[in-house]
Short mmCIF file of all heavy atoms in Angstrom, two decimals:
data_model
loop_
_atom_site.label_atom_id
_atom_site.label_comp_id
_atom_site.label_asym_id
_atom_site.label_seq_id
_atom_site.Cartn_x
_atom_site.Cartn_y
_atom_site.Cartn_z
N PRO A 1 -41.91 -55.89 -39.29
CA PRO A 1 -40.75 -56.54 -38.72
C PRO A 1 -41.01 -57.41 -37.48
O PRO A 1 -41.83 -56.94 -36.68
CB PRO A 1 -39.81 -55.35 -38.35
CG PRO A 1 -40.23 -54.25 -39.21
CD PRO A 1 -41.77 -54.47 -39.24
N THR A 2 -40.43 -58.58 -37.39
CA THR A 2 -40.64 -59.34 -36.19
C THR A 2 -39.59 -59.04 -35.11
O THR A 2 -39.78 -59.27 -33.93
CB THR A 2 -40.49 -60.86 -36.58
OG1 THR A 2 -39.18 -61.07 -37.15
CG2 THR A 2 -41.53 -61.26 -37.56
N LYS A 3 -38.43 -58.43 -35.54
CA LYS A 3 -37.41 -57.93 -34.62
C LYS A 3 -36.80 -56.72 -35.37
O LYS A 3 -36.71 -56.69 -36.53
CB LYS A 3 -36.37 -58.94 -34.39
CG LYS A 3 -36.69 -60.01 -33.27
CD LYS A 3 -35.46 -60.76 -32.97
CE LYS A 3 -35.77 -61.68 -31.77
NZ LYS A 3 -34.51 -62.34 -31.33
N PRO A 4 -36.40 -55.72 -34.54
CA PRO A 4 -36.70 -55.51 -33.12
C PRO A 4 -38.09 -55.09 -33.03
O PRO A 4 -38.86 -54.78 -33.97
CB PRO A 4 -35.78 -54.24 -32.79
CG PRO A 4 -34.78 -54.25 -33.89
CD PRO A 4 -35.43 -54.65 -35.08
N PRO A 5 -38.63 -55.14 -31.84
CA PRO A 5 -40.05 -54.72 -31.55
C PRO A 5 -40.19 -53.24 -31.73
O PRO A 5 -39.15 -52.43 -31.72
CB PRO A 5 -40.31 -55.07 -30.07
CG PRO A 5 -39.01 -55.20 -29.40
CD PRO A 5 -38.09 -55.65 -30.51
N ALA A 6 -41.39 -52.74 -31.94
CA ALA A 6 -41.62 -51.27 -32.08
C ALA A 6 -41.09 -50.53 -30.93
O ALA A 6 -41.17 -51.05 -29.78
CB ALA A 6 -43.12 -51.06 -32.32
N TYR A 7 -40.53 -49.30 -31.14
CA TYR A 7 -39.91 -48.63 -29.98
C TYR A 7 -40.78 -47.43 -29.52
O TYR A 7 -40.35 -46.55 -28.74
CB TYR A 7 -38.51 -48.17 -30.30
CG TYR A 7 -38.39 -47.31 -31.63
CD1 TYR A 7 -38.54 -45.95 -31.59
CD2 TYR A 7 -38.01 -47.92 -32.82
CE1 TYR A 7 -38.40 -45.18 -32.77
CE2 TYR A 7 -37.84 -47.16 -34.01
CZ TYR A 7 -38.02 -45.81 -33.96
OH TYR A 7 -37.86 -45.02 -35.09
N ASP A 8 -42.03 -47.32 -29.98
CA ASP A 8 -42.97 -46.36 -29.51
C ASP A 8 -44.39 -46.88 -29.75
O ASP A 8 -44.57 -47.93 -30.44
CB ASP A 8 -42.75 -45.02 -30.11
CG ASP A 8 -43.15 -43.87 -29.26
OD1 ASP A 8 -44.32 -43.98 -28.66
OD2 ASP A 8 -42.40 -42.83 -29.07
N VAL A 9 -45.34 -46.13 -29.28
CA VAL A 9 -46.75 -46.58 -29.47
C VAL A 9 -47.12 -46.58 -31.00
O VAL A 9 -46.84 -45.73 -31.73
CB VAL A 9 -47.66 -45.56 -28.68
CG1 VAL A 9 -49.13 -45.98 -28.92
CG2 VAL A 9 -47.37 -45.56 -27.19
N GLN A 10 -47.83 -47.67 -31.30
CA GLN A 10 -48.30 -47.86 -32.73
C GLN A 10 -49.74 -48.11 -32.60
O GLN A 10 -50.22 -49.08 -31.93
CB GLN A 10 -47.57 -49.00 -33.35
CG GLN A 10 -46.16 -48.74 -33.74
CD GLN A 10 -45.43 -49.87 -34.36
OE1 GLN A 10 -45.82 -51.02 -34.18
NE2 GLN A 10 -44.49 -49.60 -35.31
N GLY A 11 -50.53 -47.34 -33.37
CA GLY A 11 -52.01 -47.48 -33.32
C GLY A 11 -52.54 -47.04 -31.92
O GLY A 11 -51.73 -46.51 -31.10
N ILE A 12 -53.84 -47.07 -31.80
CA ILE A 12 -54.40 -46.56 -30.48
C ILE A 12 -55.53 -47.47 -30.05
O ILE A 12 -56.38 -47.89 -30.83
CB ILE A 12 -54.91 -45.08 -30.74
CG1 ILE A 12 -55.58 -44.52 -29.42
CG2 ILE A 12 -55.89 -44.96 -31.91
CD1 ILE A 12 -55.88 -43.07 -29.54
N GLY A 13 -55.58 -47.81 -28.83
CA GLY A 13 -56.57 -48.50 -28.05
C GLY A 13 -56.91 -47.78 -26.83
O GLY A 13 -56.28 -46.83 -26.39
N MET A 14 -57.91 -48.30 -26.06
CA MET A 14 -58.28 -47.65 -24.90
C MET A 14 -57.19 -47.67 -23.77
O MET A 14 -57.16 -46.74 -22.97
CB MET A 14 -59.65 -48.37 -24.35
CG MET A 14 -60.87 -48.16 -25.26
SD MET A 14 -61.22 -46.49 -25.39
CE MET A 14 -62.61 -46.59 -26.61
N ASP A 15 -56.33 -48.61 -23.83
CA ASP A 15 -55.32 -48.71 -22.86
C ASP A 15 -54.27 -47.62 -23.04
O ASP A 15 -53.36 -47.41 -22.14
CB ASP A 15 -54.66 -50.09 -22.92
CG ASP A 15 -55.50 -51.20 -22.30
OD1 ASP A 15 -56.47 -50.82 -21.62
OD2 ASP A 15 -55.20 -52.35 -22.57
N ASP A 16 -54.23 -46.91 -24.19
CA ASP A 16 -53.28 -45.89 -24.51
C ASP A 16 -53.71 -44.47 -24.04
O ASP A 16 -52.88 -43.56 -24.10
CB ASP A 16 -53.05 -45.83 -26.05
CG ASP A 16 -52.45 -47.14 -26.50
OD1 ASP A 16 -51.51 -47.68 -26.03
OD2 ASP A 16 -53.02 -47.71 -27.52
N LEU A 17 -54.97 -44.41 -23.63
CA LEU A 17 -55.47 -43.06 -23.32
C LEU A 17 -55.04 -42.55 -22.01
O LEU A 17 -54.75 -43.37 -21.08
CB LEU A 17 -57.05 -43.16 -23.36
CG LEU A 17 -57.65 -43.60 -24.67
CD1 LEU A 17 -59.27 -43.55 -24.56
CD2 LEU A 17 -57.23 -42.74 -25.87
N ILE A 18 -55.11 -41.25 -21.84
CA ILE A 18 -54.72 -40.62 -20.62
C ILE A 18 -55.43 -41.17 -19.41
O ILE A 18 -56.66 -41.43 -19.45
CB ILE A 18 -54.89 -39.00 -20.71
CG1 ILE A 18 -54.50 -38.30 -19.51
CG2 ILE A 18 -56.39 -38.81 -21.05
CD1 ILE A 18 -54.56 -36.76 -19.61
N ASP A 19 -54.73 -41.36 -18.29
CA ASP A 19 -55.33 -41.95 -17.13
C ASP A 19 -54.95 -41.37 -15.81
O ASP A 19 -54.84 -42.07 -14.74
CB ASP A 19 -55.18 -43.50 -17.13
CG ASP A 19 -53.74 -43.89 -16.97
OD1 ASP A 19 -52.82 -43.07 -17.07
OD2 ASP A 19 -53.49 -45.13 -16.90
N PHE A 20 -54.49 -40.12 -15.83
CA PHE A 20 -54.03 -39.39 -14.64
C PHE A 20 -55.15 -39.50 -13.55
O PHE A 20 -54.80 -39.68 -12.37
CB PHE A 20 -53.58 -37.99 -14.89
CG PHE A 20 -52.31 -37.83 -15.72
CD1 PHE A 20 -52.31 -36.87 -16.74
CD2 PHE A 20 -51.30 -38.62 -15.57
CE1 PHE A 20 -51.18 -36.63 -17.52
CE2 PHE A 20 -50.07 -38.46 -16.31
CZ PHE A 20 -50.10 -37.55 -17.29
N THR A 21 -56.34 -39.23 -13.98
CA THR A 21 -57.51 -39.37 -13.04
C THR A 21 -58.57 -40.09 -13.70
O THR A 21 -58.68 -40.13 -14.96
CB THR A 21 -58.02 -37.95 -12.61
OG1 THR A 21 -58.60 -37.31 -13.75
CG2 THR A 21 -56.85 -37.10 -12.11
N PRO A 22 -59.52 -40.65 -13.00
CA PRO A 22 -60.65 -41.29 -13.63
C PRO A 22 -61.48 -40.29 -14.52
O PRO A 22 -62.03 -40.83 -15.57
CB PRO A 22 -61.46 -41.81 -12.40
CG PRO A 22 -60.52 -41.97 -11.31
CD PRO A 22 -59.54 -40.84 -11.53
N GLU A 23 -61.67 -39.13 -14.11
CA GLU A 23 -62.42 -38.17 -14.85
C GLU A 23 -61.78 -37.86 -16.28
O GLU A 23 -62.41 -37.78 -17.21
CB GLU A 23 -62.58 -36.89 -14.12
CG GLU A 23 -63.46 -35.80 -14.84
CD GLU A 23 -64.87 -36.31 -15.18
OE1 GLU A 23 -65.40 -37.14 -14.47
OE2 GLU A 23 -65.38 -35.74 -16.18
N LEU A 24 -60.45 -37.61 -16.23
CA LEU A 24 -59.77 -37.43 -17.47
C LEU A 24 -59.84 -38.68 -18.39
O LEU A 24 -60.05 -38.49 -19.61
CB LEU A 24 -58.29 -37.08 -17.19
CG LEU A 24 -58.06 -35.77 -16.56
CD1 LEU A 24 -56.48 -35.65 -16.11
CD2 LEU A 24 -58.31 -34.63 -17.46
N ARG A 25 -59.73 -39.82 -17.77
CA ARG A 25 -59.85 -41.09 -18.55
C ARG A 25 -61.26 -41.18 -19.19
O ARG A 25 -61.43 -41.51 -20.35
CB ARG A 25 -59.62 -42.23 -17.66
CG ARG A 25 -59.97 -43.57 -18.21
CD ARG A 25 -58.93 -44.13 -19.15
NE ARG A 25 -59.17 -45.43 -19.55
CZ ARG A 25 -58.32 -46.26 -20.09
NH1 ARG A 25 -57.07 -45.71 -20.34
NH2 ARG A 25 -58.60 -47.48 -20.42
N LYS A 26 -62.28 -40.86 -18.43
CA LYS A 26 -63.64 -40.88 -18.92
C LYS A 26 -63.86 -40.06 -20.18
O LYS A 26 -64.44 -40.25 -21.14
CB LYS A 26 -64.58 -40.60 -17.85
CG LYS A 26 -66.06 -40.66 -18.26
CD LYS A 26 -66.99 -40.36 -17.12
CE LYS A 26 -68.43 -40.30 -17.54
NZ LYS A 26 -69.38 -39.96 -16.34
N GLN A 27 -63.28 -38.76 -20.00
CA GLN A 27 -63.37 -37.76 -21.14
C GLN A 27 -62.72 -38.23 -22.31
O GLN A 27 -63.15 -37.97 -23.47
CB GLN A 27 -62.92 -36.43 -20.60
CG GLN A 27 -63.83 -35.77 -19.48
CD GLN A 27 -63.28 -34.44 -19.03
OE1 GLN A 27 -62.58 -33.68 -19.74
NE2 GLN A 27 -63.56 -34.17 -17.79
#
C-alpha cells in the first residue's frame, strides 16, 4: 500500500536494534 504508511516496524535493519547503551548496541 502507498497509503496509509505502515503503523509499526517492518523488516529489520541496524537502525532498529536496541541502543540504550553502546555496549548493548554492539552486542
Side-chain angles (χ1 to χ4, degrees):
T2 57
K3 279 190 171 187
Y7 54 85
D8 209 314
V9 178
Q10 293 181 325
I12 180 173
M14 293 301 174
D15 289 343
D16 300 308
L17 303 180
I18 184 174
D19 62 354
F20 291 139
T21 69
E23 180 59 28
L24 291 170
R25 168 78 171 195
K26 180 180 178 181
Q27 292 178 30

